[in-house]
């Protein structure tokens, strides 16, 4: 399989050199290894995570007020990523070292022999205690997510304004939602849980989430999915540093990384067909049109939730890009459920 390293983040010189200086002076706090993704197929293992200075974060609650949520957001975005840290990965028959980049991110794609691929269930990650680096815990163990069965299909979904109300087309509203709410007080789109559980046979089929939100929101998204009883699955976010000054840009900018990440999933699971889910507010239709052009016969359907003011010109252009037998324009989850019951769920 072709070696793929997914989209290293942009360099942020100040944070990079400040972290290096703290390390040289022995002033770094305890460090935390956060593992985002551990995926396996019949021959490969893909891992992604980051190393940051550990910070205390309270569990979300629907009883937390706005001030509490704003302070939690400040803690989330004030954490320092740690570049050039070495993380050891251990799996039966494989022992590798990964080095974090300028954003504190590590990732790797490894060949596995047939025996290891079939029998091994977990991967252990350990931060190597180099000079100035003190791990919060000696090691952490993560389950390898594998989807080897012949499922009828998998699901690849956007997040903002597809499953969670984000107001992505309104910067002020989006910013306020981002800082003033937590995983339990953010609102889902009505009917999303029922629709996704229908498509995934009550979470038996794989569901992947690909978004332009940044990695600082990983835990919030994961907690939101669990709390709202939406099928949990691997989450792939945007590799670009966000801090308190540009938090409002999270979810914006170029969305080309979504094409790359979806293409990676298509290549990593070549025997799996997919249903794509998104909204019309940003660039999901154009992104999915590009995916269909590359993997035409493996896309069973594309559900696009119509948000904001209808744009007849854009819709006409999109209808030319997206095959009429693939695209399903929906106003709400009820329409999506009715269509899926007839065309996808047997």
């Amino acid at each position: 399989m072709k070696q793929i390293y997914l989209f290293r983040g942009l360099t942020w010189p100040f944070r990079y050199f400040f972290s290096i200086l703290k390390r040289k002076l022995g002033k770094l706090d305890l460090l935390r290894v956060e593992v985002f993704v551990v995926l396996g197929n019949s021959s490969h293992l893909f891992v992604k995570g980051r190393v940051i200075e550990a910070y205390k974060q309270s569990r979300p609650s629907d009883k937390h007020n706005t001030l509490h949520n704003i302070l939690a957001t400040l803690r989330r975005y004030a954490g320092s990523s740690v570049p050039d840290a070495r993380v050891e990965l251990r799996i039966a028959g494989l022992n590798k070292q990964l080095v974090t980049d300028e954003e504190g991110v590590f990732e790797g794609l490894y060949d596995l022999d047939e025996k290891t691929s079939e029998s091994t269930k977990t991967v252990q990650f350990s931060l190597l205690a180099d000079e100035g680096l003190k791990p919060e815990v000696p090691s952490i163990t993560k389950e390898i997510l594998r989807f080897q069965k012949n499922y009828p299909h998998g699901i690849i979904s956007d997040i903002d304004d597809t499953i969670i109300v984000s107001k992505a087309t309104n910067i002020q509203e989006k910013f306020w939602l981002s800082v003033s709410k937590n995983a339990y007080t953010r609102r889902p789109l009505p009917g999303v849980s029922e629709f996704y559980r229908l498509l995934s046979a009550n979470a038996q089929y794989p569901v992947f989430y690909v978004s332009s939100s940044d990695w600082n929101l990983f835990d919030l998204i994961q907690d939101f999915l669990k709390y709202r009883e939406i099928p949990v699955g691997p989450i792939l976010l945007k590799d670009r540093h966000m801090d308190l000054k540009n938090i409002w840009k999270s979810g914006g900018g170029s969305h080309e990384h979504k094409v790359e990440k979806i293409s990676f999933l298509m290549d990593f699971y070549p025997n799996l067909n997919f249903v794509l889910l998104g909204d019309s507010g940003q660039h999901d239709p154009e992104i999915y049109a590009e995916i269909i052009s590359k993997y035409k016969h493996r896309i069973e359907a594309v559900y696009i939730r119509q948000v904001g003011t209808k744009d007849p010109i854009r819709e006409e252009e999109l209808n030319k890009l997206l095959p009429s037998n693939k695209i399903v324009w929906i106003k709400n989850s009820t329409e999506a459920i009715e269509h899926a019951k007839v065309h996808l769920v047997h």
Side-chain angles (χ1 to χ4, degrees):
M1 181 176 180
K2 183 181 178 182
Q3 184 79 2
I4 301 174
Y5 283 92
L6 297 182
F7 339 118
R8 297 297 190 187
L10 300 177
T11 304
W12 197 45
F14 177 80
R15 184 174 290 275
Y16 175 80
F17 289 114
F18 184 64
S19 180
I20 293 295
L21 179 61
K22 288 178 70 176
R23 182 174 177 175
K24 293 293 185 183
L25 296 175
K27 297 297 184 180
L28 281 176
D29 294 329
L30 291 178
L31 301 186
R32 177 180 301 160
V33 178
E34 293 185 331
V35 180
F36 298 134
V37 182
V38 182
L39 295 177
N41 61 18
S42 60
S43 57
H44 290 82
L45 173 73
F46 174 72
V47 300
K48 189 176 187 74
R50 68 175 177 176
V51 176
I52 62 171
E53 289 188 71
Y55 65 96
K56 293 182 179 180
Q57 184 69 285
S58 62
R59 293 296 303 159
S61 169
D62 56 3
K63 295 181 174 59
H64 287 168
N65 59 30
T66 297
L67 178 59
H68 188 286
N69 292 330
I70 290 175
L71 291 175
T73 300
L74 293 176
R75 284 192 293 270
R76 177 177 288 112
Y77 279 89
S80 295
S81 302
V82 181
D84 300 327
R86 293 188 300 141
V87 176
E88 186 175 61
L89 175 154
R90 292 182 181 179
I91 184 175
L94 184 68
N95 195 336
K96 295 288 185 178
Q97 287 188 15
L98 305 96
V99 180
T100 60
D101 66 10
E102 299 94 336
E103 299 292 334
V105 174
F106 63 85
E107 64 175 43
L109 180 68
Y110 303 107
D111 294 332
L112 296 179
D113 59 54
E114 186 175 346
K115 182 179 179 181
T116 301
S117 179
E118 291 179 353
S119 63
T120 305
K121 307 297 182 183
T122 61
V123 182
Q124 186 180 78
F125 297 86
S126 303
L127 178 69
L128 297 181
D130 294 334
E131 181 180 355
L133 300 186
K134 301 175 183 178
E136 182 182 38
V137 296
S139 65
I140 59 174
T141 300
K142 291 291 183 178
E143 180 185 0
I144 303 172
L145 297 178
R146 291 191 174 95
F147 307 103
Q148 303 295 350
K149 298 178 182 178
N150 294 322
Y151 298 106
H153 57 250
I155 296 110
I156 297 176
S157 175
D158 179 44
I159 294 175
D160 290 330
D161 290 322
T162 299
I163 63 169
I164 186 171
V165 175
S166 301
K167 305 291 185 180
T169 57
N170 186 308
I171 292 176
Q172 289 81 11
E173 286 190 77
K174 180 182 178 183
F175 175 79
W176 182 244
L177 283 173
S178 298
V179 301
S180 66
K181 303 290 184 180
N182 63 51
Y184 287 13
T185 55
R186 292 294 296 267
R187 292 191 297 114
L189 275 295
V192 162
S193 177
E194 182 183 354
F195 179 41
Y196 280 51
R197 297 188 79 81
L198 174 70
L199 285 181
S200 66
N202 202 28
Q204 292 185 65
Y205 308 157
V207 184
F208 302 88
Y209 297 93
V210 179
S211 171
S212 291
S213 294
D214 61 279
W215 287 107
N216 289 306
L217 298 178
F218 180 83
D219 64 323
L220 185 148
I221 295 169
Q222 199 169 54
D223 288 339
F224 170 83
L225 293 173
K226 293 176 182 177
Y227 182 65
R228 296 297 181 177
E229 297 183 339
I230 300 169
V232 176
I235 301 169
L236 296 173
L237 303 176
K238 192 169 187 177
D239 298 324
R240 182 187 62 184
H241 183 79
M242 291 289 166
D243 61 21
L244 299 176
K245 293 186 296 183
N246 61 8
I247 179 178
W248 60 273
K249 293 183 179 180
S250 182
S254 171
H255 299 273
E256 183 60 28
H257 81 101
K258 293 176 73 173
V259 175
E260 295 171 331
K261 288 181 169 64
I262 294 171
S263 297
F264 169 78
L265 291 173
M266 301 290 292
D267 293 336
F268 201 71
Y269 300 107
N271 298 318
L272 192 60
N273 291 342
F274 285 94
V275 176
L276 308 180
L277 307 170
D279 66 89
S280 63
Q282 294 181 307
H283 301 284
D284 290 344
E286 290 86 352
I287 290 167
Y288 293 165
E290 188 171 343
I291 293 299
I292 290 175
S293 70
K294 295 172 65 176
Y295 305 96
K296 183 176 181 180
H297 300 295
R298 293 179 54 202
I299 305 301
E300 294 192 353
V302 179
Y303 287 90
I304 300 293
R305 184 185 297 269
Q306 295 170 310
V307 300
T309 305
K310 189 172 183 179
D311 185 344
I313 296 177
R314 181 174 181 238
E315 190 168 315
E316 183 179 353
E317 292 174 348
L318 291 174
N319 282 327
K320 294 177 182 178
L321 288 174
L322 293 162
S324 59
N325 64 331
K326 303 283 187 183
I327 184 69
V328 185
W329 296 98
I330 56 172
K331 295 179 181 178
N332 51 56
S333 296
T334 299
E335 291 184 357
I337 289 169
E338 291 174 353
H339 180 278
K341 285 181 176 179
V342 174
H343 298 280
L344 287 178
V345 180
H346 305 290

